[in-house]
Amino acid sequence: MPEITRLYKGLYDEFEVEVVFGTAEDISPREAHTFEEFIFVAQGEIILTRSDKQAPERYGASSFIHLPAGVEHVIDARETPTRLVIIHPDK
């Protein structure tokens, strides 16, 4: 289970930033959101499976990914450590 720190800002806490410290054993649940999501891979490597793509994609450090609202996805950490910054600008 990764360590996740969340920061909420805005009148209704609508802007959320997650700082994720993960290991090669960590995988997220398959989920979709009603809001868009941005993922920055600060360190390590992930495999991202998403409902709007044919095949899973591999992303390494310095990658920036946009997930539109409603896209189901799974984040699978492939290295230890894996560090992500996940942004929900209008949650």
Side-chain angles (χ1 to χ4, degrees), residues 42-53:
Q43 185 177 10
E45 186 176 75
I46 65 169
I47 292 179
L48 180 65
T49 304
R50 47 192 287 179
S51 62
D52 64 343
K53 301 281 184 177

Side-chain angles (χ1 to χ4, degrees), residues 31-52:
E31 61 184 357
H33 308 291
T34 58
F35 45 84
E36 67 183 333
E37 179 171 82
F38 296 91
I39 302 168
F40 175 69
V41 181
Q43 185 177 10
E45 186 176 75
I46 65 169
I47 292 179
L48 180 65
T49 304
R50 47 192 287 179
S51 62
D52 64 343

